[in-house]
């Protein structure tokens, strides 16, 4: 029986070509967008809110949405988003940080739909990407793959 069709099965595959065969492009792209659009500015504003006691737009928005302890929940959300962005860019503990990000993105989705905001589409996309990364992991080009984190045990290539 034919067990392999195509080129030489023993030939080493180029590691950069495996980048486009996994969810790594989705993970890295989403991490960079999350970092540049939300995480960096949110973390910087959270720093100014806590240590320089400057007003921050997230706190009244969280309070008006009916969330409890808005003065603590807003900075915690900023820290979670920053951690998720770093995790997704590097590919370190991707599934764990996807679990941390899931309640944040679901809450944002519910609140944005109540407000009738045009950002609802972005929240839906972040939700779908979070679920995808939760199910499939970080991909071939990641710190998780380097240390075989979340691989489920033994290595079948030995």
């Amino acid at each position: 029986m034919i067990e392999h069709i195509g080129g030489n099965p023993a030939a080493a595959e180029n590691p950069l070509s495996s980048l486009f065969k996994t969810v790594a492009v989705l993970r890295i792209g989403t991490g960079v967008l999350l970092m540049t659009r939300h995480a960096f500015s949110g973390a910087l504003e959270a720093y100014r809110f806590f240590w320089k006691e400057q007003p921050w737009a997230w706190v009244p928005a969280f309070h008006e949405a009916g969330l409890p302890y808005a003065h603590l929940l807003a900075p915690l959300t900023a820290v979670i988003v920053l951690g998720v962005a770093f995790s997704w860019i590097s590919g370190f503990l991707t599934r764990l940080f996807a679990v941390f990000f899931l309640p944040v993105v679901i809450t944002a989705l519910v609140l944005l739909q109540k407000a009738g905001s045009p950002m609802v589409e972005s929240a839906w996309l972040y939700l779908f990407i979070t679920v995808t990364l939760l199910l499939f992991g970080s991909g071939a080009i990641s710190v998780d793959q380097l240390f075989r984190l979340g691989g489920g045990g033994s290595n079948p290539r030995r």
Side-chain angles (χ1 to χ4, degrees):
M1 291 265 154
I2 297 177
E3 295 183 16
H4 180 75
I5 298 174
N8 183 1
E13 189 175 328
N14 184 359
L16 289 178
S17 68
S18 65
L19 174 69
F20 295 103
K21 296 179 183 175
T22 67
V23 297
V25 171
L26 178 72
R27 172 184 54 81
I28 294 167
T30 305
V32 168
L33 284 175
L34 192 62
M35 176 69 73
T36 58
R37 304 292 292 171
H38 305 287
F40 186 70
S41 62
L44 189 61
E45 291 296 319
Y47 168 78
R48 290 179 184 154
F49 175 72
F50 262 124
W51 277 273
K52 297 187 178 186
E53 298 181 4
Q54 294 179 353
W56 183 22
W58 283 18
V59 176
F62 279 34
H63 184 70
E64 290 170 9
L67 296 174
Y69 303 108
H71 62 286
L72 298 175
L73 197 58
L76 178 65
T77 302
V79 169
I80 289 173
V81 170
L82 183 69
V84 167
F86 274 126
S87 168
W88 287 359
I89 291 170
S90 66
F92 180 66
L93 299 176
T94 303
R95 287 183 171 145
L96 177 67
F97 279 93
V99 169
F100 291 157
F101 193 56
L102 203 55
V104 171
V105 76
I106 289 172
T107 304
L109 181 64
V110 169
L111 295 178
L112 289 172
Q113 280 186 334
K114 274 187 192 177
S117 173
M119 297 285 290
V120 173
E121 292 177 7
S122 298
W124 275 111
L125 289 173
Y126 279 122
L127 178 65
F128 289 139
I129 291 168
T130 302
V131 170
T132 301
L133 291 176
L134 185 63
L135 294 176
F136 294 105
S138 58
I141 309 294
S142 65
V143 175
D144 288 349
Q145 184 66 26
L146 181 67
F147 294 113
R148 306 218 189 295
L149 297 173
S154 65
N155 185 3
R157 291 187 174 182
R158 285 189 184 181

